[in-house]
Every structure is written in C-alpha cells, then in structure tokens.
Amino acid sequence: MLPPHDVLPARHDFAAYARTNWPRLVMTARLLTDDPGETEELVRRTLVLTYARWRRVPRDDADFHVRRALVKGHLRRPHGRRAARRRAVLVLRLWEGMADVEIAQLLGCSVGAVRAHAKRGLGEAGTDAGRLRERYVRAVEDVAPSEVPLAGIEASGRALRRRRLAAASAACAALLTPAALLTVGGIGGGIGGGGTDGTSGGGSGSAARRAESAVRVVGLGERVSAVPGVRMWLTADGGHWSASKGRHNFQRLTDSGLPLDEPGVSARVGYAQERYFLSGLYRGLRGEPGRVEVRTPTGTITASVLTLAGSPGWGVWYANTPLSGKDVKTLLAGGRGEQNVTAYDASGKVAARSGIEVGLV
C-alpha cells in the first residue's frame, strides 16, 4: 500500500497513479472511441493534461478529473457530437459504474439529459443494458495495453504547465487592475481589522484558529454542490451560484471600484430549500486563504473555500452548517459594526473581516 499523499513527492504520486490506472483507462478509451489506433493516444493526451495540473488535483477526487479529461478529449474528436455523448453516457454508466448524477456533473449537464442520452443510446444499440454491458466486456477482452509511456507524458505535461503558467500570469496581470468586489454584505478592511494583534479573529478560540478550511481548486464553470439546492461555480470575473427553482445570484469582482489587491471578504445569509446558510467572496490575498471562519451564536464555523487553479487571490467561501431563524436574527442584529467573518492568509494572520447581511438566493 502506498504511503499517504502528504509524504509522497508529487512526481512519485502521479507515476503511481498513472501506472495503476493506465490499463483501465485504455479499456475505457477503447469503448469510447471504438478505434484501436486512437485508444492509447487519447489516454496519453489525458494523462498529459492531468500531469500539467496534478498539484492542483485533489487526491481523493483524482478519478473524477481524469475521467472528465478523457471524455472531453473523446468529445473533441471529429465525429458526431450527439452520438459521442450518448456513447460516453453508456460507457460511464455500464462500464465505469457511475451513477447518473455523477455523469451529469462530469459532462456538465442535467440528470434528465443523461437519462435521455442513455435511453436513446440503448435504442440505437438495439439492446438492453445487461446485454450491452456484456458486449463491452467482450470488446475489451483482447485489449492488451502497452507499458505506460511515463517519461514522455511527464515531459509533455511539464511543457504544457509552463505554457499555462505563462498564460495565467498574463491573465492575472490584466485582471488585477484597480477594480473591486461586489459586496452584498460588507467588504472587510485590511490586515488586522477588528483586532489588536493581527493574528486571530475575535472570539474564535485557539482550536478554531488552528483549523484549516477545506480549499478546493476548480476549473472555470465547474459546478460544486455547496449546500442542499445550491450549486456554486467560478467565472473569470467572479462567483456565480444558483439555488433551486431557477433563482440565480451573481457577484462580480469589478463592480464596486475598490482595488483588488487590497484584502477583503464579503459575507451574507442566503436561503434555499427551507434552510439558511452563509457564503461570500474573498479577494486581494496572495494565493489561497489559510481559512475562513464565521462566528455564529452557537460557535465558530470553519468554511469551505473554492478557488481557481493558479491561486488568483480571490474565490468563494461557504459554510454548509445550517442556521436557525433565531441565529440569523442574532447575526443580522449586529449590523455592519459586528465583524463575524474572518479570512486568514496562508501564514495564519488575519487578512480581512466582515459583517453579515441578508442575501437573496
């Protein structure tokens, strides 16, 4: 058994993953493409893309990212896109054993669309799910994957990473011009606001200060289920999340006129599916926040954080701990003078604080 990820060098970690999963990925690619000459090339390109961002891929979520890259690579091939999506749905369902909701997230579509693709695909295949699964098994019986071309994959991945870093640096330089963050709740001031030592949040306690937010690195537009009925995602200029019943809320980085390089955090109470929850944006940090803490009447909550690859210094935070109506009234009664939310930088120092206001989600 491999030791935990935090004691493995990044390169060793990827090499172990690639060697272990190469045969399975080759078989899945063969079912997707039905083209022996294209199968291993599709997997090679997939692993190059994965290696280029391996440091940003959550280890407990690596299979999702690799499968998504594999399917996207398949869908970019020059053939009928609808037929390719139907084939992808069936392979993910019957060969990979994924649930419809997982397939929907991977493809970026609704569960209803996944089911419609599956129904149409089975109709075109002229068989049922059980027989098609058996057909898939027979189709890969003679597939003999070659040895994973690890050295070439890593070399190509390093080159791709360098190109992406150069492009990301140029994009961030253009983005970090005097602009600002829309504050549905208040934007907290600079480092040390609301405290005397600049290293801790009021009333959070030493145990809470040592806690770390769950920071998840996502791609542009990648949907994340934050709280029941609410999905969040990041765009190039802000955070956009939607609740049930088609209601949407949007926060943009360039609406308030404040400089993006000045640390700040917004905070709000939202309501979806008969529950209150807390969320907001942070901006102006160098890299990812160490954590975001929210002080509530029942204790301090360490929030989850979403950020884009490349650590642009801004992102979304949310606390999926539900609040009671009484808690909400207590939080809002403090007004702007009560700074309940604290964003810490990577060194553990206070970067910004904010009060909480009502949001319409």
Side-chain angles (χ1 to χ4, degrees):
M1 181 177 294
L2 289 172
H5 168 64
D6 58 358
V7 300
L8 275 173
R11 188 263 172 200
H12 186 180
D13 193 12
F14 174 83
Y17 183 92
R19 290 192 181 101
T20 300
N21 290 279
W22 173 262
R24 175 180 64 85
L25 291 170
V26 169
M27 292 181 183
T28 301
R30 176 63 178 273
L31 295 176
L32 288 171
T33 64
D34 197 25
D35 183 349
E38 175 65 16
T39 296
E40 290 198 1
E41 177 59 20
L42 174 59
V43 180
R44 188 197 69 81
R45 291 196 302 266
T46 296
L47 291 177
V48 167
L49 292 171
T50 303
Y51 185 81
R53 66 185 305 267
W54 183 248
R55 298 172 186 175
R56 315 299 296 172
V57 173
R59 296 302 182 262
D60 59 354
D61 204 23
D63 285 342
F64 174 85
H65 288 265
V66 173
R67 283 191 183 113
R68 183 174 59 183
L70 184 72
V71 171
K72 285 186 175 180
H74 163 61
L75 295 178
R76 282 194 291 267
R77 296 169 69 240
H79 46 49
R81 187 170 179 83
R82 289 185 180 178
R85 288 178 74 85
R86 289 194 287 270
R87 189 179 189 94
V89 166
L90 291 174
V91 169
L92 294 172
R93 236 191 188 193
L94 304 178
W95 176 255
E96 292 283 347
M98 295 178 65
D100 288 348
V101 66
E102 296 174 308
I103 298 172
Q105 187 174 16
L106 186 148
L107 292 177
C109 64
S110 68
V111 174
V114 169
R115 291 170 180 164
H117 283 311
K119 182 178 180 180
R120 182 68 63 83
L122 287 172
E124 292 175 349
T127 186
D128 58 26
R131 289 189 177 90
L132 185 57
R133 186 181 293 109
E134 293 174 0
R135 189 183 301 175
Y136 286 164
V137 173
R138 291 194 299 271
V140 299
E141 282 180 348
D142 298 329
V143 174
S146 63
E147 184 178 353
V148 55
L150 189 60
I153 287 171
E154 291 181 341
S156 298
R158 283 191 293 269
L160 178 59
R161 184 192 300 151
R162 287 193 294 269
R163 293 195 298 271
R164 285 183 169 180
L165 287 174
S169 297
C172 286
L175 182 63
L176 295 176
T177 53
L181 187 66
L182 174 64
T183 62
V184 177
I187 289 290
I191 295 175
T196 57
D197 59 3
T199 59
S200 65
S204 57
S206 59
R209 286 196 296 271
R210 288 195 298 270
E212 293 185 355
S213 294
V215 178
R216 176 170 173 177
V217 180
V218 296
L220 290 172
E222 180 179 347
R223 270 57 169 173
V224 176
S225 296
V227 299
V230 178
R231 293 191 302 168
M232 294 185 179
W233 62 94
L234 301 181
T235 65
D237 57 354
H240 180 194
W241 56 90
S242 63
S244 58
K245 300 181 181 179
R247 292 180 296 176
H248 294 72
N249 180 72
F250 182 67
Q251 285 188 292
R252 192 188 305 274
L253 285 166
T254 54
D255 285 342
S256 71
L258 297 176
L260 284 177
D261 57 356
E262 179 181 325
V265 60
S266 70
R268 53 201 261 121
V269 176
Y271 185 79
Q273 293 197 353
E274 300 182 348
R275 59 176 274 169
Y276 296 96
F277 66 97
L278 297 166
S279 65
L281 301 176
Y282 70 89
R283 60 99 174 91
L285 276 65
R286 293 186 178 180
E288 301 166 0
R291 66 187 183 278
V292 175
E293 290 181 353
V294 186
R295 185 159 44 86
T296 74
T298 56
T300 299
I301 300 170
T302 301
S304 298
V305 175
L306 302 180
T307 186
L308 290 172
S311 299
W314 62 269
V316 174
W317 66 266
Y318 62 90
N320 55 21
T321 302
L323 300 173
S324 67
K326 182 179 179 180
D327 290 341
V328 171
K329 291 180 180 178
T330 302
L331 286 170
L332 298 179
R336 292 186 178 272
E338 185 73 16
Q339 295 184 318
N340 311 83
V341 181
T342 305
Y344 296 83
D345 62 19
S347 69
K349 294 183 179 180
V350 174
R353 287 195 174 98
S354 174
I356 298 175
E357 290 194 354
V358 175
L360 297 176
V361 179

